Amino acid sequence: MHSLPESIRQAVQSGRVPSPPQILLRLLQLVDDDGTTMTELARLVEQDPGLCARVLTAANSSAVRRGKELQSIESCLMALGTRLVRSIATCLSVRSLFEERGAGPEVDLADFWTHSLLVAEISRGLAVATRYPRADEAYLAGLLHDVGQLIMLSALGEPYAQVLAGCPGESSLSAMEIELLGADHGEIGTWLADQWHLDSSFADGILFHHQPPERIVGAAQLAQVIWLAHALGDCEEVPETVTEIARQMFDHIGNGELSAICAQATQRMSMVADAIGMRAPASRERGAPRGLPRVLGSRKSASADAQTELASLIGNKALLQPLQDDLQALDTDAEVFLALREAARILFDLSHLAFLLHDTVDGRLSGRQVSGQPALFSQTTLLCEPHRSLAAAAAVSNQVRCSHADRSPAPASLLDMQFARALCSSGLLCIPMTAHSMTTGVMIAGVGRDQYAALSRRLPCLLNFGRIAGGSLESWQRAKQVRAQAAEETAARLLQQTRRMVHEAGNPLTIIRGYLRILDGKLPPGAEVHRELEVLTEEIERVSGIVRRMSDMPRMPAGDAVFDVGDLLREMLLLYRQPLFDARGIAVQTALPTQAMDIGCDRDSVKQIVLNVWKNASEALASGQRIRISLTGDVLHQGRRYVELRIEDNGPGISEAAMQAIYRPVAARLGEPRGIGLSIVGALARRQGIPVTCRSKPGSGTVLSFLLPDLEPSDNLPGQRGRVPQEKHVSPDRRQE
């Protein structure tokens, strides 16, 4: 790819692609209609390359995208939500009112729009006919195949208009662009697709649509589809030469099918154009180029009616009032900041924007509460003293400040230089955000000297934009405080109710505990049942502790305890072996060491993990099946020693969904009795830093392995038992170990 001129590079990054007013007007009407579906909204957005550009850029930004890139317009709209889409549409509408009308020739884009729509419709038809799996992607690539022309027209203005005026046809346009401007519109559109992180084959469709026929036959399928759609869109009838190239690319396609695709595409394009009030030029001079932006000889608006209606729609309020309404309807601070960034990009071409918020307690400016911006701003806490930074000067004076302004005699502070570097610019533009005459923060944008020269005539509008931003943030913060207060009151009522329930549950537990002490005293000394009663009393104490903690406020977890996990398992087998396994005919095999195996974690948590796994196994296993419990010491994992607790059975196995519950909570489903217990097991293990692995196959049993943190030899406290070689006795029977 050729090196792009700096002015075009900036235009690509700021997404300056004009939109026809008819589409914006219709979009504003649709998003205000509660009955509009996302599919209808996507269908309209797909008809406008400029609007597609904005939606794709916003939806694939780091603040919105989760996972792989979004390539369909409908998925982008679903990710953004209708409110943010309305904000984008409003900003594009406002910008259309800001566009300055100089003395240069006016450009009519009607033929460009209809040509782009036609190529998009043909691309979709060809994708279906050639079995390309993503017809919507082909439509979008066809719609944007000439979007580079709009960017160059927006970025370069008069010089590019002269290129268009002297161009005999689109086949000659690329060569003229490269000769005079250093890049052609295919390269510009490809760069734009790369900025959106779209698939390389998508960008290739834009880049290769002017390739010679002998070269395109060797390209990938999507690039061939776009090339062929572009060639067909330039013809009144399908030439035999184009049909022959189509046969070379797609064996089964012929002239009749191509003609049918073109006819259907032309009909659909005409219906779309009629629906949004856009007409292709009724007549064209003989030999005039098709599908290009057309330079007019006199200042005459080709869409005056729609422009007037659009101005009336927005001009009933203050110029930026619709944007303010949209911002105040957003739910979270992340949505507000994202909407402000998109608005600044669309309205003022400010593509790099950061925020510092005013702390009412200490009076400082800080960016630590704002996500999605360079780390430098999150680390900054700035006193509101003008000499420290332009941001502080803007906050104190309540005026827009810029490092390129002539009235700025003081040299840039080191902090301002750092801000500019973080925003990839040579200077800063600082816009105060205010609400009710109080400063709520500062927007900091990276700008160059030429960019500021263009913005300097719009300082009042920038200041008004700052007021809207400040008011939106204040409204959101006020709503957040109301929600927090409501949540606090709800939590207090819940805590009061919980404490009452704890009190009521504690009474029978106390009675049971007392009865066990009486029973223990009545038994003769040395009776074997004393040990069972002791374990049962311990379990009652543990349940009582759980009930008491229900009414406590959350606390930091206590330090890990040290205990012998082998002793714990023996105690649990003493209490739970009979009801869980023996009574159901399930064989228990154990491989437990006779010496101590001390671990360092919470004893109750380990007990809860083991009990949940045993209960799940007891419910899943049938009579005659078995469960095996073993401990292995000196297991090395990622440089640390562990004791491995292994619980395996030969039962029916568990599903993939139930296994996933160990690693992340999932909703319980019918037929998955082990899901909830395993979810609790996973949560407890994560809290204690216990790695868990699970292997299971339907009909072949399940193996669960827990790596319990071992105590290194240096971790043994004075007086603790040291580690000695382990002796293990494997007992396949049900009663002996």
Side-chain angles (χ1 to χ4, degrees), residues 60 65-72 75 196-199:
N60 284 293
R65 194 178 78 190
R66 299 291 183 268
K68 64 180 182 179
E69 65 272 8
L70 302 174
Q71 296 191 10
S72 74
S75 64
W196 296 330
H197 304 290
L198 296 178
D199 188 80

Side-chain angles (χ1 to χ4, degrees), residues 6-29:
E6 183 62 26
S7 59
I8 297 178
R9 184 192 302 267
Q10 292 178 358
V12 170
Q13 293 175 343
S14 62
R16 282 167 44 181
V17 184
S19 293
Q22 296 92 339
I23 290 181
L24 290 176
L25 181 62
R26 180 62 180 149
L27 179 64
L28 289 172
Q29 294 168 347

Side-chain angles (χ1 to χ4, degrees), residues 309-391:
E309 188 177 354
L310 184 63
S312 175
L313 177 69
I314 299 178
N316 289 333
K317 301 180 181 181
L319 192 56
L320 295 179
Q321 186 64 39
L323 173 62
Q324 184 172 8
D325 294 341
D326 295 334
L327 288 172
Q328 291 180 348
L330 299 177
D331 290 332
T332 67
D333 58 342
E335 287 182 336
V336 173
F337 289 127
L338 177 61
L340 287 174
R341 286 190 176 98
E342 289 303 311
R345 190 194 306 267
I346 294 169
L347 294 175
F348 307 106
D349 291 330
L350 299 176
S351 55
H352 298 94
L353 196 67
F355 298 87
L356 295 179
L357 302 184
H358 183 251
D359 191 326
T360 56
V361 177
D362 60 13
R364 296 171 183 259
L365 293 171
S366 172
R368 62 177 178 270
Q369 299 178 6
V370 184
S371 59
Q373 58 186 12
L376 174 64
F377 295 94
S378 300
Q379 300 164 4
T380 297
T381 300
L382 180 64
L383 286 172
C384 283
E385 297 175 353
H387 67 277
R388 295 184 179 274
S389 170
L390 279 175

Side-chain angles (χ1 to χ4, degrees), residues 386 388-395 401-403 408 413 416 428-430 442:
R388 295 184 179 274
S389 170
L390 279 175
R401 292 285 183 260
C402 183
S403 51
S408 180
S413 68
D416 285 345
L428 299 178
L429 179 72
C430 299
V442 179

Side-chain angles (χ1 to χ4, degrees), residues 197-277:
H197 304 290
L198 296 178
D199 188 80
S200 61
S201 63
F202 183 99
D204 292 343
I206 298 174
L207 181 62
F208 296 151
H209 74 275
H210 281 300
Q211 286 291 314
E214 61 272 14
R215 298 195 64 188
I216 198 64
V217 294
Q221 185 178 358
L222 181 59
Q224 293 176 337
V225 165
I226 304 306
W227 186 95
L228 184 56
H230 177 262
L232 294 171
D234 281 340
C235 307
E236 296 289 350
E237 296 182 357
V238 181
E240 185 57 38
T241 54
V242 174
T243 303
E244 180 58 32
I245 296 168
R247 288 197 188 100
Q248 294 180 37
M249 294 188 291
F250 313 110
D251 295 335
H252 60 282
I253 202 164
N255 188 282
E257 189 171 3
L258 291 178
S259 298
I261 291 173
C262 289
Q264 185 178 19
T266 301
Q267 183 181 14
R268 288 176 61 88
M269 181 272 292
S270 299
M271 292 173 59
V272 169
D274 289 342
I276 63 175

